Amino acid sequence: MNRKYLLVLVAASLIACNKSASYQDEPVRLRIPYKFPEIRFPEGNEPTKLRIGLGRILFYDNRLSTNHDMNCGSCHVLSSAFTDGKMVSTGRMGHEGRRNAPTLANIAWMPRLMMEGGVPTLEAQALAPLHDSLEMGFNMMAYVDELNEDEELRAIAKAAYGRDSIDPYVVTRSLAAFQRTFISGDSRFDRYRTGYKDELTHDEFEGMRLFYSDRTKCGECHSMPFFTDFEYYNIGLEEEYTDHGKERATHLAGDIGKFKTPTLRNIELTGPYMHDGRMNTLEEVVAFFNEGGRNHVNKDERIAPMNLTDEEQRQLVAFLKTLTDWNFVQNADLLPLVK
Ligand code: HEC
Ligand code: HEC
C-alpha cells in the first residue's frame, strides 16, 4: 500500500485493511468565530474530513502545474496569510503575473471572487488559476490523467465524492472545501471585541476610533466582520489606470479603476499592498488615503484629504496591526501534509 498520505489521513478516518486502503468519510463542523455569519455550503460540497483532506493534498501538489514546479501554495503561503510577499505574483517559468496575490483568509464568505468580481463561486474559481497560463499553465485533462495514476488518491476521491476517478469536478470541489477552512477571526482586535478591553494599547484604541470615524470613513468600506463590504471602488490610485479592474468584467466605463475592497485582516502580513502591489508599507497606504488620492471621474467621494496628524497616522497603522491572527497563520492543519 502507498503510505504517502497515511500520516495526514489517519486524522481523516483512514481505515487501512491489509492490502488495499479504504477510506470512510465523515462530516466536519467548522468553528465559526464570534459574530461571523454561518457559511453557506454548496449542495454536494458540505465539509467532510476527506474532502478537506483531498483539497489539502491538491492545494500543495505540483502535479497540478505544467512543469511540475508550482502549486497553489507557491503563491498563497500560510505564514503570509496565504499571500506571497511579491508585488505581483510570479507565475509559470518566472513570467511576471499581473496582480498581487490576495489573502485567502475567510474566503468561504466571499460572495464574488477575483479583483474584478468575475468568478461567482470558489468551486468555479479553481479553474481560473489552473487555466491562467501566467499562473500555473494548466491543462485540466492532462493533469487529471496524471492524478488518476495515483491509486490512493483515487480511493480518497471515491470516498469523498463517490466518483470513480479524479475529474475536474473532484479537483475544484475539494480545493474549495479545503480553502473554506481558511478561517481567521482570532486577532487581538477580536479578543478586544469579546470583552478583553485591555488587549488594545492607548494608540491602538485611538487608531480604532479614527478607523471608524467620519474623518477617515475607513470602516465604511472595510466593514465588519471581514473588514470588507465585498464591493468595488475606485480609490484614485491613478488618473489613468493600466489595469481597468472591474471594467474588464462589465465593460462599463463607470467601472474603470474599481477593485474589490480587500479584507484588512492580517494586513500586517500581506504586503505589498494594492492590486498591483505598488505600496510596501502600511505607513505608505495611510499617507495615501490621508492625501485623498488622485483625480478620477470614478473615484469614490469618500476618498478625500483627511488632514490627519503624523501621530494620528501612526495610531491608524497601530490599529491595523491588531488585526493579525497568529493562531491562523500558524495553524498546522493548513500546511502541506507531512509525507
Ligand atoms: C502564480 C501565483 C498563483 C498561483 C500558483 C495560484 N494563485 Fe490564486 N491568485 C493569485 C493572484 C495574483 C490572484 C488575484 C487574481 C485576480 O484577482 O485577478 C489569485 C486569486 C485567487 C483567489 C481569489 C481570491 C479573492 O479574493 O477573490 C483564490 C480563491 C485563489 N487565488 C486560489 C488559488 C488556488 C486554489 C490555486 C491553486 C489551484 C491558486 N490560487 C494558485 C496567484 C496565484
Ligand atoms: C471607498 C471605500 C474605501 C475606503 C473609504 C477606504 N478603503 Fe481601503 N481600500 C479600498 C479598496 C477598493 C482597496 C483596493 C484598491 C486597489 O487594490 O486598487 C483598498 C485598499 C486598502 C489597503 C491595501 C489592502 C491590500 O491588501 O492591498 C489598505 C491597507 C486599506 N485600504 C486601508 C484603508 C484605511 C486605513 C482607510 C481609511 C483611512 C481606507 N482603507 C479607506 C476601499 C476603501
Side-chain angles (χ1 to χ4, degrees):
M1 187 193 112
N2 180 348
R3 301 195 156 248
K4 248 189 314 185
Y5 308 119
L6 194 71
L7 236 82
V8 200
L9 293 168
V10 170
S13 311
L14 166 72
I15 299 174
C17 310
N18 289 342
K19 277 241 157 80
S20 64
S22 74
Y23 292 89
Q24 199 166 354
D25 209 359
E26 60 182 80
V28 166
R29 261 190 83 86
L30 301 181
R31 283 207 1 240
I32 308 296
Y34 178 66
K35 291 214 171 152
F36 278 32
E38 287 298 314
I39 301 174
R40 273 178 290 145
F41 298 101
E43 217 180 305
N45 206 16
E46 299 79 7
T48 66
K49 279 194 172 169
L50 290 178
R51 288 171 183 173
I52 294 168
L54 181 59
R56 183 177 178 189
I57 293 166
L58 296 178
F59 192 87
Y60 292 110
D61 198 324
N62 280 359
R63 283 175 295 188
L64 268 65
S65 67
T66 313
N67 295 338
H68 289 200
D69 58 354
M70 67 164 38
N71 54 61
C72 311
S74 310
C75 299
H76 298 290
V77 183
L78 176 62
S79 57
S80 304
F82 289 112
T83 64
D84 62 2
K86 300 203 179 95
M87 197 165 163
V88 289
S89 293
T90 314
R92 184 167 62 117
M93 298 191 295
H95 286 299
E96 281 286 289
R98 284 179 296 260
R99 297 252 174 103
N100 181 253
T103 177
L104 302 182
N106 301 323
I107 198 87
W109 286 276
M110 201 145 285
R112 297 189 69 75
L113 303 161
M114 308 304 263
M115 295 178 199
E116 63 262 15
V119 181
T121 68
L122 209 45
E123 275 74 7
Q125 194 281 337
L127 295 174
L130 299 190
H131 284 173
D132 186 339
S133 60
L134 288 172
E135 285 185 16
M136 296 171 85
F138 260 129
N139 173 345
M140 258 289 183
M141 293 334 282
Y143 79 77
V144 158
D145 282 349
E146 204 180 332
L147 293 175
N148 273 312
E149 288 164 16
D150 188 328
E151 253 179 59
E152 195 176 3
L153 218 50
R154 273 193 3 234
I156 299 169
K158 172 93 182 160
Y161 291 104
R163 299 238 163 181
D164 287 323
S165 64
I166 300 184
D167 53 20
Y169 176 99
V170 169
V171 175
T172 55
R173 271 167 188 69
S174 62
L175 281 171
F178 178 51
Q179 292 175 87
R180 287 197 180 94
T181 68
F182 300 175
I183 297 175
S184 174
D186 187 21
S187 65
R188 284 205 289 124
F189 168 75
D190 293 295
R191 290 188 209 158
Y192 169 84
R193 281 215 311 158
T194 58
Y196 295 91
K197 295 299 172 196
D198 45 7
E199 278 287 350
L200 299 192
T201 66
H202 171 78
D203 275 355
E204 291 163 352
F205 179 81
E206 290 303 321
M208 178 180 72
R209 293 215 329 206
L210 279 167
F211 188 89
Y212 289 109
S213 71
D214 236 20
R215 274 177 76 196
T216 71
K217 301 186 172 64
C218 312
E220 290 187 18
C221 301
H222 299 283
S223 56
M224 288 298 288
F226 302 113
F227 287 85
T228 166
D229 58 0
F230 305 115
E231 292 296 333
Y232 299 81
Y233 303 103
N234 176 316
I235 60 170
L237 282 177
E238 294 289 3
E239 280 168 18
E240 297 269 358
Y241 279 80
T242 36
D243 184 339
H244 281 192
K246 192 173 184 204
E247 189 266 353
R248 290 176 30 170
T250 63
H251 306 294
L252 298 172
D255 285 339
I256 292 176
K258 290 191 180 170
F259 291 87
K260 188 171 64 190
T261 308
T263 177
L264 300 184
R265 288 187 172 276
N266 306 296
I267 193 72
E268 171 184 16
L269 305 176
T270 64
Y273 303 108
M274 304 301 172
H275 65 272
D276 53 4
R278 66 176 62 200
M279 297 180 194
N280 282 316
T281 64
L282 289 173
E283 284 76 8
E284 253 178 278
V285 174
V286 167
F288 163 82
F289 279 109
N290 187 40
E291 280 159 26
R294 303 192 193 186
N295 288 327
H296 192 288
V297 279
N298 294 338
K299 186 170 83 171
D300 190 275
E301 56 191 21
R302 285 167 291 197
I303 310 296
M306 293 169 192
N307 298 313
L308 301 175
T309 65
D310 287 353
E311 186 185 26
E312 286 170 327
Q313 291 185 54
R314 212 172 28 75
Q315 290 171 332
L316 210 40
V317 170
F319 168 66
L320 293 175
K321 291 183 178 171
T322 69
L323 302 178
T324 308
D325 177 348
W326 294 106
N327 288 329
F328 171 61
V329 296
Q330 296 179 89
N331 181 350
D333 290 343
L334 306 182
L335 287 171
L337 297 177
V338 189
K339 286 186 187 170

